[in-house]
Amino acid sequence: MKEMAIVHRTRGFTFLELTVVIGVIAILAAILFPVFAGARENARRSTCQSNLHQIGLALHAYARDHDGMLPPRPLDLAPIAVPYLNSTAIFGCPSDNEYSKQTLAATPFPSNAPREPGLMKLTLPLVSSYAYRAGLNLDHRGDEPVAGDWSPIHREAGNILHLSGYVRSLPGGSWKPVVSTPRPGFAPAPNAMNGPQ
Protein backbone atom coordinates (compact mmCIF):
# COMPACT_ATOMS: atom_id res chain seq x y z
CA MET A 1 0.00 0.00 0.00
CA LYS A 2 1.21 3.38 -0.93
CA GLU A 3 1.50 5.91 1.78
CA MET A 4 0.23 9.32 0.90
CA ALA A 5 2.01 12.27 2.33
CA ILE A 6 -0.35 14.64 4.02
CA VAL A 7 0.71 18.21 3.55
CA HIS A 8 -0.39 20.59 6.29
CA ARG A 9 -0.49 24.11 5.11
CA THR A 10 -0.26 26.84 7.72
CA ARG A 11 -2.54 29.72 7.07
CA GLY A 12 -1.15 33.23 7.74
CA PHE A 13 -2.90 36.53 8.01
CA THR A 14 -4.19 38.02 4.83
CA PHE A 15 -3.34 41.55 3.82
CA LEU A 16 -6.91 42.64 4.55
CA GLU A 17 -6.81 41.23 8.09
CA LEU A 18 -3.49 42.97 8.83
CA THR A 19 -4.85 46.26 7.47
CA VAL A 20 -7.93 46.03 9.70
CA VAL A 21 -5.83 45.29 12.82
CA ILE A 22 -3.45 48.17 12.09
CA GLY A 23 -6.40 50.49 11.46
CA VAL A 24 -8.04 49.56 14.77
CA ILE A 25 -4.76 50.15 16.63
CA ALA A 26 -4.33 53.53 14.92
CA ILE A 27 -7.87 54.59 15.85
CA LEU A 28 -7.37 53.55 19.48
CA ALA A 29 -4.06 55.42 19.61
CA ALA A 30 -5.65 58.56 18.15
CA ILE A 31 -8.35 58.41 20.83
CA LEU A 32 -6.12 57.56 23.80
CA PHE A 33 -3.00 59.72 23.26
CA PRO A 34 -4.83 63.03 23.87
CA VAL A 35 -6.46 61.52 26.96
CA PHE A 36 -3.06 60.50 28.33
CA ALA A 37 -1.59 63.92 27.48
CA GLY A 38 -4.47 65.62 29.30
CA ALA A 39 -4.01 63.41 32.36
CA ARG A 40 -0.28 64.16 32.40
CA GLU A 41 -0.92 67.92 32.20
CA ASN A 42 -3.51 67.68 34.99
CA ALA A 43 -0.88 65.97 37.15
CA ARG A 44 1.61 68.74 36.33
CA ARG A 45 -0.96 71.42 37.19
CA SER A 46 -1.62 69.66 40.50
CA THR A 47 2.13 69.57 41.26
CA CYS A 48 2.35 73.27 40.42
CA GLN A 49 -0.52 74.03 42.79
CA SER A 50 1.20 72.01 45.52
CA ASN A 51 4.43 73.97 44.92
CA LEU A 52 2.56 77.27 45.25
CA HIS A 53 0.88 76.05 48.44
CA GLN A 54 4.31 75.21 49.92
CA ILE A 55 5.58 78.65 48.88
CA GLY A 56 2.54 80.18 50.62
CA LEU A 57 3.34 78.31 53.84
CA ALA A 58 6.97 79.50 53.66
CA LEU A 59 5.82 83.09 53.02
CA HIS A 60 3.60 82.96 56.10
CA ALA A 61 6.44 81.53 58.21
CA TYR A 62 8.71 84.34 56.95
CA ALA A 63 6.05 86.95 57.75
CA ARG A 64 5.63 85.62 61.30
CA ASP A 65 9.36 86.13 61.84
CA HIS A 66 9.37 89.63 60.25
CA ASP A 67 6.49 91.49 61.93
CA GLY A 68 3.90 90.35 59.38
CA MET A 69 5.83 91.59 56.33
CA LEU A 70 6.47 89.40 53.29
CA PRO A 71 9.86 89.47 51.52
CA PRO A 72 10.44 93.06 50.35
CA ARG A 73 11.86 92.70 46.82
CA PRO A 74 9.57 91.89 43.89
CA LEU A 75 10.31 88.64 42.03
CA ASP A 76 12.73 87.61 44.80
CA LEU A 77 11.73 84.46 46.68
CA ALA A 78 15.28 83.77 47.92
CA PRO A 79 14.57 84.98 51.50
CA ILE A 80 12.15 82.08 52.03
CA ALA A 81 14.36 79.42 50.43
CA VAL A 82 17.01 78.44 52.94
CA PRO A 83 15.45 78.93 56.37
CA TYR A 84 11.88 77.93 55.48
CA LEU A 85 12.14 75.25 52.76
CA ASN A 86 14.04 71.98 52.40
CA SER A 87 14.46 72.15 48.63
CA THR A 88 14.45 74.68 45.82
CA ALA A 89 12.65 72.14 43.61
CA ILE A 90 9.30 73.69 44.56
CA PHE A 91 10.27 76.86 42.69
CA GLY A 92 9.96 74.95 39.41
CA CYS A 93 6.66 74.30 37.67
CA PRO A 94 6.80 70.97 35.79
CA SER A 95 5.03 72.54 32.79
CA ASP A 96 7.53 75.41 32.56
CA ASN A 97 10.06 74.33 29.94
CA GLU A 98 12.02 77.58 30.30
CA TYR A 99 12.64 76.90 34.01
CA SER A 100 14.83 73.87 33.22
CA LYS A 101 16.91 75.83 30.72
CA GLN A 102 17.30 78.78 33.07
CA THR A 103 18.16 76.55 36.05
CA LEU A 104 20.89 74.72 34.13
CA ALA A 105 22.36 78.02 32.95
CA ALA A 106 22.37 79.44 36.50
CA THR A 107 24.06 76.48 38.23
CA PRO A 108 27.69 77.53 38.93
CA PHE A 109 28.86 74.30 40.58
CA PRO A 110 29.04 70.75 39.21
CA SER A 111 26.45 68.28 40.44
CA ASN A 112 29.17 66.10 42.00
CA ALA A 113 30.63 68.96 44.08
CA PRO A 114 31.02 68.13 47.78
CA ARG A 115 28.18 69.52 49.88
CA GLU A 116 27.97 70.18 53.57
CA PRO A 117 25.61 67.71 55.22
CA GLY A 118 22.22 69.11 56.11
CA LEU A 119 22.61 72.36 54.19
CA MET A 120 20.95 73.26 50.92
CA LYS A 121 23.06 75.01 48.32
CA LEU A 122 21.27 78.13 47.09
CA THR A 123 22.18 79.49 43.68
CA LEU A 124 21.68 83.23 43.45
CA PRO A 125 19.80 84.71 41.80
CA LEU A 126 17.16 82.12 42.64
CA VAL A 127 15.52 80.86 39.46
CA SER A 128 11.77 80.43 39.80
CA SER A 129 8.83 79.50 37.60
CA TYR A 130 6.64 81.78 39.67
CA ALA A 131 6.20 85.52 39.77
CA TYR A 132 6.20 87.05 43.26
CA ARG A 133 4.45 90.28 44.20
CA ALA A 134 6.21 92.19 46.99
CA GLY A 135 4.86 94.93 49.23
CA LEU A 136 2.21 92.87 51.00
CA ASN A 137 1.84 91.97 54.65
CA LEU A 138 -0.46 89.67 56.58
CA ASP A 139 -2.89 92.57 57.23
CA HIS A 140 -3.86 92.74 53.54
CA ARG A 141 -6.96 90.99 52.26
CA GLY A 142 -6.64 87.24 51.91
CA ASP A 143 -7.74 87.27 48.25
CA GLU A 144 -4.74 89.38 47.16
CA PRO A 145 -2.62 87.42 44.66
CA VAL A 146 0.92 87.07 45.94
CA ALA A 147 2.55 84.54 43.57
CA GLY A 148 1.66 82.59 40.47
CA ASP A 149 2.57 81.29 37.04
CA TRP A 150 4.10 83.80 34.63
CA SER A 151 1.59 82.81 31.97
CA PRO A 152 -1.34 80.39 31.58
CA ILE A 153 0.75 77.31 30.74
CA HIS A 154 -1.55 74.58 32.04
CA ARG A 155 -3.80 73.91 29.06
CA GLU A 156 -4.67 77.60 28.76
CA ALA A 157 -4.95 78.07 32.55
CA GLY A 158 -2.61 79.53 35.16
CA ASN A 159 -2.22 78.92 38.89
CA ILE A 160 -2.39 81.78 41.39
CA LEU A 161 -1.46 81.80 45.11
CA HIS A 162 -3.54 84.16 47.25
CA LEU A 163 -2.30 85.72 50.47
CA SER A 164 -4.66 83.49 52.46
CA GLY A 165 -2.75 80.44 51.14
CA TYR A 166 -5.53 79.41 48.74
CA VAL A 167 -4.26 78.29 45.33
CA ARG A 168 -6.56 78.24 42.34
CA SER A 169 -6.32 77.67 38.63
CA LEU A 170 -7.79 80.36 36.41
CA PRO A 171 -8.64 79.83 32.73
CA GLY A 172 -6.75 81.97 30.23
CA GLY A 173 -9.71 84.33 29.68
CA SER A 174 -9.89 85.42 33.33
CA TRP A 175 -6.22 84.92 34.23
CA LYS A 176 -4.08 88.00 34.89
CA PRO A 177 -0.41 88.00 35.90
CA VAL A 178 0.54 88.61 39.52
CA VAL A 179 3.08 91.30 38.57
CA SER A 180 3.10 93.77 35.70
CA THR A 181 6.81 93.38 34.91
CA PRO A 182 8.01 90.91 32.29
CA ARG A 183 9.73 87.73 33.35
CA PRO A 184 13.46 88.34 33.85
CA GLY A 185 15.48 87.13 30.90
CA PHE A 186 12.41 86.42 28.72
CA ALA A 187 10.13 88.25 26.34
CA PRO A 188 7.00 89.66 28.05
CA ALA A 189 4.31 87.07 28.68
CA PRO A 190 0.92 87.52 27.01
CA ASN A 191 -1.14 90.12 28.92
CA ALA A 192 1.91 90.87 31.05
CA MET A 193 1.06 94.54 31.39
CA ASN A 194 -2.43 94.09 32.82
CA GLY A 195 -1.19 94.56 36.37
CA PRO A 196 -2.05 92.53 39.42
CA GLN A 197 -5.38 90.83 39.65
PDB file of all heavy atoms in Angstrom, residues 7 11 24 27 38 54 56 67 79 117 124 144 156 159 169 174:
ATOM      1  N   VAL A   7       0.049  16.905   3.457  1.00  0.00           N
ATOM      2  CA  VAL A   7       0.710  18.209   3.555  1.00  0.00           C
ATOM      3  C   VAL A   7      -0.189  19.133   4.366  1.00  0.00           C
ATOM      4  O   VAL A   7      -1.340  19.352   4.008  1.00  0.00           O
ATOM      5  CB  VAL A   7       0.947  18.798   2.138  1.00  0.00           C
ATOM      6  CG1 VAL A   7       1.573  20.164   2.247  1.00  0.00           C
ATOM      7  CG2 VAL A   7       1.818  17.861   1.348  1.00  0.00           C
ATOM      8  N   ARG A  11      -1.875  28.570   7.666  1.00  0.00           N
ATOM      9  CA  ARG A  11      -2.544  29.724   7.073  1.00  0.00           C
ATOM     10  C   ARG A  11      -2.082  30.974   7.815  1.00  0.00           C
ATOM     11  O   ARG A  11      -2.178  31.045   9.028  1.00  0.00           O
ATOM     12  CB  ARG A  11      -4.048  29.552   7.219  1.00  0.00           C
ATOM     13  CG  ARG A  11      -4.823  30.632   6.549  1.00  0.00           C
ATOM     14  CD  ARG A  11      -6.313  30.357   6.668  1.00  0.00           C
ATOM     15  NE  ARG A  11      -7.059  31.417   6.057  1.00  0.00           N
ATOM     16  CZ  ARG A  11      -7.479  32.504   6.669  1.00  0.00           C
ATOM     17  NH1 ARG A  11      -7.208  32.665   7.928  1.00  0.00           N
ATOM     18  NH2 ARG A  11      -8.151  33.424   6.022  1.00  0.00           N
ATOM     19  N   VAL A  24      -7.431  49.506  13.434  1.00  0.00           N
ATOM     20  CA  VAL A  24      -8.040  49.558  14.774  1.00  0.00           C
ATOM     21  C   VAL A  24      -7.044  50.100  15.787  1.00  0.00           C
ATOM     22  O   VAL A  24      -7.387  50.940  16.630  1.00  0.00           O
ATOM     23  CB  VAL A  24      -8.559  48.156  15.182  1.00  0.00           C
ATOM     24  CG1 VAL A  24      -8.923  48.113  16.651  1.00  0.00           C
ATOM     25  CG2 VAL A  24      -9.749  47.768  14.324  1.00  0.00           C
ATOM     26  N   ILE A  27      -6.709  53.862  15.331  1.00  0.00           N
ATOM     27  CA  ILE A  27      -7.874  54.591  15.852  1.00  0.00           C
ATOM     28  C   ILE A  27      -7.815  54.659  17.374  1.00  0.00           C
ATOM     29  O   ILE A  27      -8.063  55.718  17.977  1.00  0.00           O
ATOM     30  CB  ILE A  27      -9.184  53.943  15.362  1.00  0.00           C
ATOM     31  CG1 ILE A  27      -9.359  54.171  13.863  1.00  0.00           C
ATOM     32  CG2 ILE A  27     -10.385  54.485  16.129  1.00  0.00           C
ATOM     33  CD1 ILE A  27     -10.478  53.380  13.238  1.00  0.00           C
ATOM     34  N   GLY A  38      -3.667  64.799  28.392  1.00  0.00           N
ATOM     35  CA  GLY A  38      -4.471  65.617  29.304  1.00  0.00           C
ATOM     36  C   GLY A  38      -4.285  65.198  30.748  1.00  0.00           C
ATOM     37  O   GLY A  38      -4.177  66.038  31.653  1.00  0.00           O
ATOM     38  N   GLN A  54       3.116  75.264  49.074  1.00  0.00           N
ATOM     39  CA  GLN A  54       4.309  75.209  49.924  1.00  0.00           C
ATOM     40  C   GLN A  54       4.987  76.576  50.004  1.00  0.00           C
ATOM     41  O   GLN A  54       5.464  76.983  51.069  1.00  0.00           O
ATOM     42  CB  GLN A  54       5.295  74.161  49.402  1.00  0.00           C
ATOM     43  CG  GLN A  54       4.799  72.741  49.497  1.00  0.00           C
ATOM     44  CD  GLN A  54       4.571  72.315  50.929  1.00  0.00           C
ATOM     45  OE1 GLN A  54       5.368  72.600  51.803  1.00  0.00           O
ATOM     46  NE2 GLN A  54       3.464  71.650  51.173  1.00  0.00           N
ATOM     47  N   GLY A  56       3.417  79.391  49.743  1.00  0.00           N
ATOM     48  CA  GLY A  56       2.542  80.177  50.616  1.00  0.00           C
ATOM     49  C   GLY A  56       2.815  79.904  52.089  1.00  0.00           C
ATOM     50  O   GLY A  56       2.850  80.832  52.904  1.00  0.00           O
ATOM     51  N   ASP A  67       7.559  90.550  61.562  1.00  0.00           N
ATOM     52  CA  ASP A  67       6.490  91.486  61.929  1.00  0.00           C
ATOM     53  C   ASP A  67       5.368  91.553  60.898  1.00  0.00           C
ATOM     54  O   ASP A  67       4.834  92.625  60.616  1.00  0.00           O
ATOM     55  CB  ASP A  67       7.057  92.896  62.158  1.00  0.00           C
ATOM     56  CG  ASP A  67       8.031  92.928  63.329  1.00  0.00           C
ATOM     57  OD1 ASP A  67       7.777  92.195  64.313  1.00  0.00           O
ATOM     58  OD2 ASP A  67       9.033  93.657  63.252  1.00  0.00           O
ATOM     59  N   PRO A  79      14.610  84.933  50.028  1.00  0.00           N
ATOM     60  CA  PRO A  79      14.570  84.983  51.496  1.00  0.00           C
ATOM     61  C   PRO A  79      13.803  83.832  52.150  1.00  0.00           C
ATOM     62  O   PRO A  79      14.043  83.515  53.308  1.00  0.00           O
ATOM     63  CB  PRO A  79      13.879  86.319  51.789  1.00  0.00           C
ATOM     64  CG  PRO A  79      14.146  87.150  50.597  1.00  0.00           C
ATOM     65  CD  PRO A  79      14.162  86.195  49.444  1.00  0.00           C
ATOM     66  N   PRO A 117      26.804  68.471  54.854  1.00  0.00           N
ATOM     67  CA  PRO A 117      25.613  67.707  55.218  1.00  0.00           C
ATOM     68  C   PRO A 117      24.574  68.589  55.894  1.00  0.00           C
ATOM     69  O   PRO A 117      24.887  69.424  56.723  1.00  0.00           O
ATOM     70  CB  PRO A 117      26.146  66.645  56.177  1.00  0.00           C
ATOM     71  CG  PRO A 117      27.466  67.147  56.623  1.00  0.00           C
ATOM     72  CD  PRO A 117      27.983  68.061  55.566  1.00  0.00           C
ATOM     73  N   LEU A 124      22.252  81.896  43.600  1.00  0.00           N
ATOM     74  CA  LEU A 124      21.676  83.232  43.448  1.00  0.00           C
ATOM     75  C   LEU A 124      22.059  83.797  42.095  1.00  0.00           C
ATOM     76  O   LEU A 124      23.178  83.641  41.667  1.00  0.00           O
ATOM     77  CB  LEU A 124      22.173  84.145  44.570  1.00  0.00           C
ATOM     78  CG  LEU A 124      21.670  83.769  45.957  1.00  0.00           C
ATOM     79  CD1 LEU A 124      22.336  84.650  47.010  1.00  0.00           C
ATOM     80  CD2 LEU A 124      20.164  83.890  46.055  1.00  0.00           C
ATOM     81  N   GLU A 144      -5.781  88.715  47.951  1.00  0.00           N
ATOM     82  CA  GLU A 144      -4.741  89.378  47.155  1.00  0.00           C
ATOM     83  C   GLU A 144      -3.819  88.324  46.553  1.00  0.00           C
ATOM     84  O   GLU A 144      -3.309  87.463  47.271  1.00  0.00           O
ATOM     85  CB  GLU A 144      -3.906  90.318  48.032  1.00  0.00           C
ATOM     86  CG  GLU A 144      -4.629  91.541  48.509  1.00  0.00           C
ATOM     87  CD  GLU A 144      -4.720  92.616  47.460  1.00  0.00           C
ATOM     88  OE1 GLU A 144      -3.963  92.556  46.458  1.00  0.00           O
ATOM     89  OE2 GLU A 144      -5.569  93.499  47.626  1.00  0.00           O
ATOM     90  N   GLU A 156      -4.019  76.285  28.809  1.00  0.00           N
ATOM     91  CA  GLU A 156      -4.671  77.601  28.764  1.00  0.00           C
ATOM     92  C   GLU A 156      -5.226  78.020  30.122  1.00  0.00           C
ATOM     93  O   GLU A 156      -6.240  78.713  30.198  1.00  0.00           O
ATOM     94  CB  GLU A 156      -5.767  77.630  27.691  1.00  0.00           C
ATOM     95  CG  GLU A 156      -5.273  77.290  26.289  1.00  0.00           C
ATOM     96  CD  GLU A 156      -4.189  78.245  25.800  1.00  0.00           C
ATOM     97  OE1 GLU A 156      -4.263  79.446  26.096  1.00  0.00           O
ATOM     98  OE2 GLU A 156      -3.253  77.776  25.137  1.00  0.00           O
ATOM     99  N   ASN A 159      -2.002  79.058  37.451  1.00  0.00           N
ATOM    100  CA  ASN A 159      -2.218  78.919  38.890  1.00  0.00           C
ATOM    101  C   ASN A 159      -1.817  80.194  39.615  1.00  0.00           C
ATOM    102  O   ASN A 159      -0.809  80.814  39.287  1.00  0.00           O
ATOM    103  CB  ASN A 159      -1.411  77.744  39.441  1.00  0.00           C
ATOM    104  CG  ASN A 159      -1.915  76.419  38.932  1.00  0.00           C
ATOM    105  OD1 ASN A 159      -3.113  76.220  38.767  1.00  0.00           O
ATOM    106  ND2 ASN A 159      -1.006  75.494  38.684  1.00  0.00           N
ATOM    107  N   SER A 169      -6.681  77.662  40.042  1.00  0.00           N
ATOM    108  CA  SER A 169      -6.316  77.671  38.630  1.00  0.00           C
ATOM    109  C   SER A 169      -7.358  78.506  37.891  1.00  0.00           C
ATOM    110  O   SER A 169      -8.558  78.253  38.012  1.00  0.00           O
ATOM    111  CB  SER A 169      -6.292  76.243  38.095  1.00  0.00           C
ATOM    112  OG  SER A 169      -5.903  76.236  36.751  1.00  0.00           O
ATOM    113  N   SER A 174      -9.772  84.636  32.110  1.00  0.00           N
ATOM    114  CA  SER A 174      -9.891  85.419  33.333  1.00  0.00           C
ATOM    115  C   SER A 174      -8.571  85.508  34.099  1.00  0.00           C
ATOM    116  O   SER A 174      -8.498  86.142  35.135  1.00  0.00           O
ATOM    117  CB  SER A 174     -10.968  84.812  34.243  1.00  0.00           C
ATOM    118  OG  SER A 174     -10.627  83.497  34.611  1.00  0.00           O
TER     119      SER A 174
END
